Amino acid sequence: MPAPFWFVEFFKVVGFVLHMIPMGIWFAGIPIALLCALANTPNSRRYAERMFGQFPIMLALGINFGIVPLLFLQTTYYKPFYTATILMAWHWLAIIPILLVGYYSVYLAAFSAGVPAKCHIDHLAGTPAPRNWRLIGFGALATLCLTLIGILITNGLTLMVRSDLWPGIMEKTNYFGATTGLANNMSDPAVWLRLATMFCIGLSTTAVWGIIDAFFFLPKSEDEESREKYCRWTLLVLPGIGIMVPIVVMTIVSYIITGVPVEQMKVAYTRLGILNLTAMIFAPGLMAFARLFKKQAYKFVLAGAAVHVLFLAGFGILRQIGQNAGVKPVVDVANLPTAVQWTPLLAFLVVFVLGLLCIAW
């Protein structure tokens, strides 16, 4: 390894957490914003407009932060990573053209919010304008593309820790000893459980971010009554999205789609950590509690955001432990020989810190 094991694991988790925050906002947030754009209430239309204006930035941050864990994945976990992605090569390569379509669709949806028939409202009159079908159409296309990418990436990363399946896949998908790259792991229930888990965490992140946006990033020039109505709406609606919808989604995927027995799911939830599952629900719940304390509401919002970040960090650590255990039959990453390359490591650290400062600014 070109870096110490602790260095690789630390930045892999940090990068994954930084990636999960914006990724969750657009992976789960775009479908929620679409539903709000279709709704006939002023505040839901306003939420859709605000979120679609931010999605291009969030998409760029999510993709770029995703490079950090991917970099260390290819550096240290290259044996299982490349084996899995070569077996499903055409699915993996398909991510690039799908991403290009999805990326431009997000931008076109965001720019559509600026055309005359935009889905914004007369906040004083409280009446929504006609639905913006251009925004809704491009938003739906972006949702389709990003969902497909989520399925393909989850497929590859799940196959990476299933080395027991590689020989059988190679036997079925080779042509005179050369793999065709047409394999997939879609029949594995873990693919859909992992995808559903990421979507549910994204719903929680979307709820948390929507409330933060309402309390801290609304234009200061706006009248106080309009701001207060919108903040109350986010505290009423978004926590429900971050709490109830994940429970429904996980139940449907676990018991109906994948057919995982209840007892097995209990074991899985125990291993993931009841604390993390509680934290995912607790963060938006804490924010909802802010409705009872108007003058101190922003403190509850900040506390909820801090709890959610801690939850993401805990989830990232548990996920890393699970990945290390999954690849152990192929490579024991904790005991690989190390030849530290200090020059690229220092260059990475400098650029990483400068990048974070730039984004914060």
Side-chain angles (χ1 to χ4, degrees), residues 251-331:
T251 301
I252 292 173
V253 173
S254 301
Y255 304 143
I256 299 176
I257 296 179
T258 60
V260 176
V262 175
E263 290 303 318
Q264 190 174 335
M265 281 306 301
K266 287 180 180 177
V267 173
Y269 279 129
T270 303
R271 288 176 179 173
L272 277 174
I274 299 300
L275 181 62
N276 277 351
L277 193 62
T278 305
M280 184 174 72
I281 296 171
F282 183 69
L286 184 63
M287 289 183 165
F289 194 65
R291 296 183 77 243
L292 301 176
F293 301 91
K294 292 183 179 179
K295 292 184 179 180
Q296 304 296 322
Y298 72 95
K299 293 182 179 179
F300 284 91
V301 171
L302 288 175
V307 168
H308 189 66
V309 171
L310 290 174
F311 153 68
L312 293 177
F315 177 81
I317 292 169
L318 285 171
R319 181 180 177 274
Q320 192 55 59
I321 293 171
Q323 189 177 68
N324 289 349
V327 300
K328 198 165 186 177
V330 179
V331 56

Side-chain angles (χ1 to χ4, degrees), residues 106-314:
V106 169
Y107 269 90
L108 289 167
F111 282 118
S112 296
V115 300
K118 63 182 179 178
C119 68
H120 102 148
I121 58 168
D122 182 342
H123 300 303
L124 295 177
T127 56
R131 290 181 179 87
N132 187 339
W133 293 107
R134 188 191 297 184
L135 178 147
I136 292 168
F138 283 121
L141 179 58
T143 298
L144 176 63
C145 291
L146 296 173
T147 302
L148 285 173
I149 291 170
I151 293 171
L152 293 173
I153 290 177
T154 306
N155 185 22
L157 295 180
T158 304
L159 186 57
M160 184 179 121
V161 298
R162 291 301 307 273
S163 56
D164 56 308
L165 301 178
W166 298 347
I169 291 174
M170 181 62 186
E171 186 177 345
K172 293 177 182 177
T173 61
N174 81 90
Y175 184 73
F176 291 99
T179 180
T180 60
L182 295 173
N184 66 69
N185 192 37
M186 300 295 189
S187 60
D188 187 348
V191 172
W192 305 105
L193 287 171
R194 288 179 65 166
L195 186 69
T197 300
M198 294 305 295
F199 181 73
C200 290
I201 292 173
L203 285 169
S204 184
T205 306
T206 296
V208 169
W209 174 252
I211 296 169
I212 291 173
D213 175 69
F215 273 81
F216 295 99
F217 296 110
L218 285 180
K220 300 296 182 183
S221 57
E222 194 175 306
D223 66 285
E224 190 64 32
E225 183 183 354
S226 176
R227 288 168 56 90
E228 187 176 338
K229 283 183 178 178
Y230 182 68
C231 286
R232 285 204 304 268
W233 179 88
T234 60
L235 289 173
L236 178 65
V237 174
L238 294 180
I241 292 173
I243 297 171
M244 297 307 299
V245 180
I247 294 173
V248 173
V249 169
M250 288 304 294
T251 301
I252 292 173
V253 173
S254 301
Y255 304 143
I256 299 176
I257 296 179
T258 60
V260 176
V262 175
E263 290 303 318
Q264 190 174 335
M265 281 306 301
K266 287 180 180 177
V267 173
Y269 279 129
T270 303
R271 288 176 179 173
L272 277 174
I274 299 300
L275 181 62
N276 277 351
L277 193 62
T278 305
M280 184 174 72
I281 296 171
F282 183 69
L286 184 63
M287 289 183 165
F289 194 65
R291 296 183 77 243
L292 301 176
F293 301 91
K294 292 183 179 179
K295 292 184 179 180
Q296 304 296 322
Y298 72 95
K299 293 182 179 179
F300 284 91
V301 171
L302 288 175
V307 168
H308 189 66
V309 171
L310 290 174
F311 153 68
L312 293 177

